[in-house]
Amino acid sequence: MYYDCDHLITENKVFTIRGNWPDTATMVLAKPVYERKNLYEDFKKIVDRKGLIGENLEWINPVEYKHILCKGIDIEEYCHENSLWSTMVNNFLKLGINANDIGVFGSKKLCLKSCRDVDFVIYGKENFDVIRKHIEWFKRESNLSNQTVRHAIYQAEKHGAFFDDSVNNLLMCLIRKWSTCAINETMTTTIRFVDTFCNSGNILKQYFYGQMYEDEITIRGIVIDEKTSFMPRRFILKTHHGFYEVITPLWIFFQCVRKNDLVEVTGTLVDNKILVRRYSHGIKHL
């Protein structure tokens, strides 16, 4: 199984997979995240390279890459060290989350010299529910806090430069990230989630492969249900014209809304779904 947040690598490039895909998949959606010119160089992070229509995502054949599975950790690696990361692991375990349902992705998983932090992934909808219920306890016991508005502003400026400000207010989206944990004033770590039983790859392929992104609309409504902690980010919008499901594969919209939020969504209308993919698309809190 290729899970969301897993990596596909070649000698000089690293991708992060978007969505869950079966082992038989010959095409997955992925984002290039690290690259180097040759084997003698260290990998360097690719920060928000502009794509043709929006965030730089690619459809690639996973068979042509080495697959790095991120699901599951070795407890021994963390139980003997006195660090924030071992404290976080111990607190995951105290909440009843199995070590096989805790994962690490990014620079730590790839053993990069540039690694400064550990990016955790929690697998399974039931474990997501546990973290959501006990997130304040988890942060307190791990000596972490909620992210500051200052850091959210920094994130919006760093990762939202290409987005259309007239249809987005990314700061309002980013400050809703409840699983972001502040280590200090300038450094955070965000717990990510993967619903292992969701065939999310099929959803991504159905709505985003070969899509021309015509019939652009803007609709205002109230969020009545949301699954924005998973890939793709999805939520249900109740409007004067009926109900619409908003779907986006974009990383920046992680936990972008909460129930009862009043928002205005700009995107492409397909089968009563509003697809948010281009830089001209967006989610704006009202």
Side-chain angles (χ1 to χ4, degrees):
M1 188 76 178
Y2 300 103
Y3 287 113
D4 185 49
C5 294
D6 281 359
H7 296 296
L8 296 173
I9 66 173
T10 63
E11 288 183 344
N12 297 320
K13 205 161 192 177
V14 180
F15 291 84
T16 299
I17 296 174
R18 296 283 171 91
N20 303 327
W21 305 82
D23 290 331
T24 54
T26 57
M27 180 177 65
V28 302
L29 186 62
K31 180 176 181 176
V33 288
Y34 294 98
E35 66 182 359
R36 61 185 177 187
K37 294 180 181 179
N38 56 63
L39 296 176
Y40 304 102
E41 289 187 351
D42 294 333
F43 278 105
K44 295 181 180 179
K45 192 170 186 177
I46 303 171
V47 180
D48 298 320
R49 182 173 296 164
K50 195 171 185 179
L52 291 176
I53 61 169
E55 184 180 347
N56 187 25
L57 302 176
E58 299 181 25
W59 294 96
I60 60 177
N61 186 346
V63 177
E64 299 173 358
Y65 299 80
K66 179 181 178 182
H67 176 210
I68 305 295
L69 179 69
C70 296
K71 189 175 185 289
I73 61 170
D74 181 3
I75 295 296
E76 293 297 317
E77 183 180 347
Y78 292 92
C79 68
H80 297 303
E81 63 177 51
N82 182 22
S83 70
L84 167 63
W85 319 118
S86 62
T87 299
M88 291 178 71
V89 168
N90 286 329
N91 286 330
F92 286 139
L93 296 173
K94 286 179 182 179
L95 287 174
I97 299 174
N98 190 283
N100 193 48
D101 290 327
I102 305 170
V104 171
F105 76 107
S107 57
K108 171 70 173 178
K109 185 67 178 182
L110 298 166
C111 301
L112 301 184
K113 294 179 182 179
S114 60
C115 177
R116 295 174 56 243
D117 56 12
V118 178
D119 298 305
F120 288 105
V121 192
I122 299 298
Y123 295 81
K125 179 63 168 60
E126 66 286 354
N127 291 325
F128 163 81
D129 292 336
V130 169
I131 295 291
R132 184 70 185 93
K133 182 178 180 180
H134 298 287
I135 188 63
E136 295 305 322
W137 174 90
F138 179 87
K139 290 179 180 180
R140 184 172 62 251
E141 292 297 307
S142 303
N143 198 27
L144 298 165
S145 58
N146 295 328
Q147 71 166 333
T148 63
V149 174
R150 177 184 174 186
H151 191 269
I153 292 172
Y154 162 76
Q155 290 286 320
E157 292 175 349
K158 180 180 179 182
H159 299 294
F162 299 134
F163 286 86
D164 185 347
D165 288 339
S166 68
V167 295
N168 284 283
N169 47 11
L170 295 175
L171 175 61
M172 296 298 292
C173 292
L174 291 166
I175 62 176
R176 281 165 167 72
K177 288 167 56 177
W178 56 264
S179 68
T180 292
C181 307
I183 300 169
N184 53 45
E185 279 290 320
T186 60
M187 189 175 181
T188 63
T189 180
T190 298
I191 306 167
R192 305 290 176 173
F193 302 95
V194 174
D195 184 351
T196 51
F197 288 105
C198 179
N199 197 356
S200 49
N202 271 356
I203 299 172
L204 290 166
K205 184 177 179 180
Q206 178 180 357
Y207 290 107
F208 296 99
Y209 179 70
Q211 181 62 248
M212 299 303 293
Y213 302 104
E214 299 173 343
D215 300 323
E216 192 170 287
I217 62 167
T218 297
I219 292 182
R220 179 179 298 186
I222 296 174
V223 177
I224 62 169
D225 188 30
E226 61 89 13
K227 297 178 181 177
T228 55
S229 292
F230 304 107
M231 181 59 67
R233 289 67 168 100
R234 293 182 286 165
F235 60 91
I236 303 297
L237 203 60
K238 181 181 179 182
T239 78
H240 291 302
H241 310 288
F243 298 90
Y244 295 86
E245 183 176 25
V246 179
I247 310 177
T248 177
L250 304 185
W251 191 259
I252 201 165
F253 291 121
F254 176 75
Q255 295 176 352
C256 61
V257 297
R258 296 184 184 180
K259 191 174 180 180
N260 295 323
D261 279 348
L262 175 63
V263 297
E264 191 172 80
V265 179
T266 299
T268 295
L269 183 63
V270 176
D271 301 331
N272 228 43
K273 317 285 185 185
I274 305 174
L275 311 182
V276 178
R277 174 66 179 91
R278 304 178 68 100
Y279 287 131
S280 59
H281 295 169
I283 297 168
K284 190 170 186 177
H285 288 263
L286 303 172

